[in-house]
Amino acid sequence: MPEHTGEFVPISWVRPEKSKRTAKGSRWRFLRRIREIGLSATLILGMAVAPALAQNLGWEPIKPLPPNPALDAAKVKLGFQLFHDPRFSDDGTVACASCHLIAQGGADRGRRVSEGVRRQMGEVNAPSVLTAAHNFHQFWDGRSPNLEDQVSHVLANPREFASTWSAVIQRLSRDAGLVSTMRAIYGEAPSRKNLSDAIAAYQRSLPEISRFDRFLRGESSAITAEERQGYEKFKSYGCVACHQGVNVGGNMFQRLGALGNYFADRGMPETRADLGRFNVTGKESDRYVFKVPSLRNVALTAPYFHDGSAATLEEAIAVMFKYQLGRAAPAEDQRLIVQFLRALTAQSLEKSLGSKP
Amino acid sequence: MNKLFSSRILKGFSGILIAAAAIAFLAFLATNSRDAAPQARANLIAHFLKLREINARLDVNVLRSRNGFNSDYDPLQEGLQSMQEIRAQLDTDLERVGIQAPEAARALDEAFARKSASIDDFKAANAIWRNSLRYLPTLVESIGQNPRADTALRLQTSEIASGLFRFGLLSDTDTAALRQLLDALPSSLDAYLAELLQGFRIHGETILRQSEREAELLATLAEIPVARCIDLLQENLEFSFTAQAERANFFRDILTVYSALLLLLILYIGARLARAYRQLGLANHQLNEANETLEARVEERTRDLNAALSELKASEAHLIQSEKMASLGQMVAGVAHEINTPLGYVRGTLEFILHTLGDTLEPYCVRVSAFIAGILGKPANDSENQAPAPLDAELLPELRMALDNSLYGLDQIGEIVLNLKNFSRLDRGQYTLYRLEEGIDSALMLAKNLIKHRAIIKNYGDTSPVFCAPSQINQVVLNLITNAAQATTEEGGTITISTRMKGNDTVVIKIADNGTGIPEDVVGRIFDPFFTTKEIGKGTGLGLSIAYKIITQHKGKIQVFSKPGKGTLFAIELPVETGAASEAPALAEDMPLLEDD
Ligand SMILES: Nc1ncnc2c1ncn2[C@@H]1O[C@H](COP(=O)(O)OP(=O)(O)O)[C@@H](O)[C@H]1O
Ligand SMILES: [Mg+2]
């Protein structure tokens, strides 16, 4: 454990002496350190608890979208092609774009669950791909660590593409045009690695700033007064405890129903998908735990939650208040929060937002 | 031929193979002696530094998040992601350096995965805890403002709230007591208050639960030995590096030795090549030199060959001559023998006639003649009717003289035959003690016709017999006498032959004439075979060369002294004991008896 606290952590360039501390001693010291920090920071903690003060310090829990990484335009273009290519699915009926409509928010046109090959229904609501590049894990249960790996999961899922890489590569290799394009870019024939790479590159090109990003960057007039108020409510009610960071979520897991039994009240039979991260880790503590979804473009991606049970933002916000915050909020506050969430829409897609409620 | 060819191919092929193997081994050593690129190592060290730094910063960020210094969890995720990226780079660099990721790497990955999971749990717990803690004062205030809430309840809730805050800050509060206080909260009759109290209870319990969970997770995080795993991995890798460096050093040493050996080999081959070149150069030089001297040598050889040829010709001529002479000699000997017998008859008959004539016939004839003359009284002139005329008194003495002359002629024939017999002795070539004067006399006898009218002066000394081949010595003397005769004229020609002893063991023969003499430019060549100044039919040019050979074979010497216009002297010295009997040359056996036909 470092011997230093605070912003600056000088790192010894000399290798530290071998630690002879026992785990117990280490633990004790660690706790003592926490206590020291805690005591010395009581005042600051107080400030953190007081949202107004925090805001005065310019201490925003949501971070503006960084510029997209420099990408090979040819790869992005190829990724776009592949994203729309139904040959990835077993019967050639489904492409990535079938369930992730970029122009409509990157999710599936208001469907609770999506349709895979042979008209099978999926298990969870299709999340938006627009800012998937900023998620710390992919899928509701976070079973995939990155965009490249994610492709294989969709491809192999029997309810989604129900395919295999060898079959896909075989199909794609018959396309002379595609093969020559891939050879030009990767210097090799289509493979799991380069196909995944191209699709990931395309998805990394998708994030687009919203008016709220402009606000965060100092353009205070970028959002309306109501939206601003909604943001304050969003923070003060504690939504921001989970929906924070660059992606307004997407960087942590949380149990659905932290302060109430969501599934008992839902009125729908429990499915395997409802177990969430438990399906990945098998840990009892991960039962009903899901990745906190990003709220960017959330106004475009109804219905909500992994089960698509909330048809509207208002409904979703109400559920969140009840089961995640364990408190009630006036309808006006919730309305303001909806306004704020609509300001998180990518600017070019704002025109497809419905009229304000 | 084929076998030779294939063995040469095999040799060449194996040579190439050996060279290839040597080079392959060199490449193997060179590859193995290359230490892991220092750059890659430095990279690895840098990775470890970064890993440690990020790990430390991650720990700090966990504490900051716990204590509300972080407004969001992105820094935690960024830290984890950076560590993962560096870990992947580490693998790539290790692969580049050629070291397999050791067990410690897996331990690090495991620790890292645990840390990652713990941080995920921490974030979830922290978010809930923070929200509830933030909501608690609001609840306390709402309860306090409720008219139904009594002072005890207000105190109770605020005490619980401050206890929970304190617990959140210090983690040293007795949670059991707090739980008891929470459970002890009354369930109010007022529905609104009851709802508030229920919320307070739920959030209070949530705070307690999440605080405990947080503390537990933080402790777990403190226990996860990521930093130690990093140290261990680095230690392991440094050990691998050292091992690799040692291995490289080992191979470098071998490489050095091997290179030195190769160099020596190359030097050796070079030296051999140089030597071969030098030898080649020498050979070339010699060849050139040989080319240059070839003319001269060819000339020399030609001269030698010419000499040998002429010698061959000479000996061939000698052979032919001696063969001729041998058969002639045999014939002469045979003829002489055959002639002797009739010669004896004729001589006997003539002597008988002469004797009879003198003793009996003469007186008888005188008497008969006288008788007839007495009877007839008349001379017997007419042939038929006349009685034989009485014998001329002169006739008988004349008859006697004629018979005498015939006898003399026969004697001469006998002498010649004897000489011929002597000269062509069948024992020629046989060595024997021989008085040289004897040979000279018989030669003079044979050359009688040639030397007629020349004055022959013999001046014999008291010489010892010489052990020699008499027929050969005779021939020498005959040749010299013949030459002397041919060099002189009938008028005033004198040939002087003298013998004497020189010391006890050498006999000297001198044959001198007062002939033409030998010109100076010719005297050097007179002993050469076929050298002659005489017209064809008279000279063969072999006389002196044969004489020279015979005398030399007898260990003697033959010398010439001559003054043109005055005369010539040939001097022969012969040792008494030539001792040459055993080595009498074959040629000598068939020495020609006569020079000219
Ligand atoms: N007594 C001599 N006086 C002058 N010349 C002589 C005498 N003996 C030899 N010669 C010279 O030497 C030559 C060689 O003599 P020889 O060998 O006997 O051959 P040949 O008598 O057949 O010519 C003669 O041709 C002559 O010129
Ligand atoms: Mg002669």
Side-chain angles (χ1 to χ4, degrees), chain B residues 479 483 486 534 543-544 595:
Chain B
N479 286 351
N483 281 348
Q486 284 172 339
K534 294 162 192 170
L544 283 181
E595 185 197 344

Side-chain angles (χ1 to χ4, degrees), chain A residues 198-212:
Chain A
I199 292 173
Y202 172 59
Q203 291 185 70
R204 290 202 173 92
S205 76
L206 293 176
E208 191 191 328
I209 62 160
S210 62
R211 283 186 294 111
F212 185 66

Side-chain angles (χ1 to χ4, degrees), chain A residues 59 63 235 238 244 246 251 326, chain B residues 68-69 72-74 123 131:
Chain A
W59 204 60
K63 298 288 187 277
K235 289 196 282 187
Q244 33 66 50
V246 164
N251 64 354
Chain B
F69 290 107
D72 57 76
Y73 298 120
D74 279 354
K123 284 187 282 192
N131 270 351

Side-chain angles (χ1 to χ4, degrees), chain A residues 14-294:
Chain A
V14 181
R15 268 188 62 206
E17 270 181 54
K18 268 232 219 101
S19 172
K20 286 191 178 111
R21 280 175 276 165
T22 60
K24 207 176 169 186
S26 173
R27 176 179 179 163
W28 183 82
R29 283 175 76 153
F30 186 63
L31 292 176
R32 202 181 65 179
R33 185 111 324 114
I34 293 167
R35 229 169 282 139
E36 282 163 10
I37 295 165
L39 285 171
S40 66
T42 307
L43 187 66
I44 299 169
L45 188 73
M47 286 176 186
V49 171
L53 270 179
Q55 198 195 326
N56 283 348
L57 287 171
W59 204 60
E60 297 303 334
I62 297 175
K63 298 288 187 277
L65 203 59
N68 289 341
L71 294 162
D72 183 344
K75 278 187 190 177
V76 172
K77 196 181 161 204
L78 173 67
F80 170 84
Q81 247 178 311
L82 296 174
F83 195 81
H84 292 80
D85 196 329
R87 286 175 293 187
F88 276 89
S89 62
D90 185 42
D91 57 3
T93 56
V94 187
C96 305
S98 304
C99 305
H100 300 283
L101 291 93
I102 306 302
Q104 295 175 42
D108 196 6
R109 297 158 292 181
R111 296 184 181 180
R112 194 181 71 79
V113 288
S114 301
E115 207 175 279
V117 295
R118 293 177 284 277
R119 310 193 132 261
Q120 297 176 89
M121 302 315 287
E123 288 184 296
V124 291
N125 178 253
S128 169
V129 295
L130 292 189
T131 60
H134 291 290
N135 285 341
F136 81 139
H137 288 286
Q138 302 300 329
F139 299 112
W140 280 102
D141 55 13
R143 63 180 178 270
S144 172
N146 54 51
L147 289 174
E148 285 83 355
D149 176 72
Q150 172 271 140
V151 180
S152 300
H153 289 270
V154 176
L155 193 116
N157 191 319
R159 288 168 180 270
E160 295 174 359
F161 287 177
S163 189
T164 60
W165 275 111
S166 57
V168 170
I169 289 164
Q170 209 177 351
R171 275 197 287 275
L172 295 181
S173 295
R174 277 186 229 121
D175 183 342
L178 178 71
V179 170
S180 76
T181 306
M182 300 214 48
R183 281 201 180 281
I185 296 170
Y186 292 101
E188 55 185 24
S191 69
R192 169 192 179 144
K193 194 165 183 290
N194 54 31
L195 290 167
S196 300
D197 183 76
I199 292 173
Y202 172 59
Q203 291 185 70
R204 290 202 173 92
S205 76
L206 293 176
E208 191 191 328
I209 62 160
S210 62
R211 283 186 294 111
F212 185 66
D213 288 304
R214 283 162 53 200
F215 167 76
L216 287 175
R217 288 202 178 113
E219 196 183 331
S220 53
S221 63
I223 58 173
T224 64
E226 280 202 336
E227 285 162 353
R228 172 103 188 242
Q229 285 167 29
Y231 176 46
E232 296 307 331
K233 296 294 175 198
F234 189 78
K235 289 196 282 187
S236 62
Y237 279 112
C239 307
V240 86
C242 290
H243 295 284
Q244 33 66 50
V246 164
N247 219 12
V248 201
N251 64 354
M252 65 184 286
F253 294 111
Q254 190 53 273
R255 175 200 277 256
L256 180 53
L259 287 142
N261 197 333
Y262 168 82
F263 291 100
D265 299 349
R266 186 176 61 176
M268 276 202 297
E270 217 174 278
T271 64
R272 194 192 75 95
D274 290 335
L275 296 177
R277 189 144 179 83
F278 176 81
N279 289 329
V280 179
T281 65
K283 263 163 45 177
E284 202 50 48
S285 60
D286 281 336
R287 198 179 284 267
Y288 309 129
V289 169
F290 295 89
K291 182 182 68 185
V292 173
S294 164

Side-chain angles (χ1 to χ4, degrees), chain B residues 478-480 482-484 486 531-532 534 538-544 595-596:
Chain B
L478 179 62
N479 286 351
L480 292 179
T482 306
N483 281 348
Q486 284 172 339
F531 177 80
T532 177
K534 294 162 192 170
K538 268 209 154 166
T540 61
L542 283 170
L544 283 181
E595 185 197 344
D596 298 331

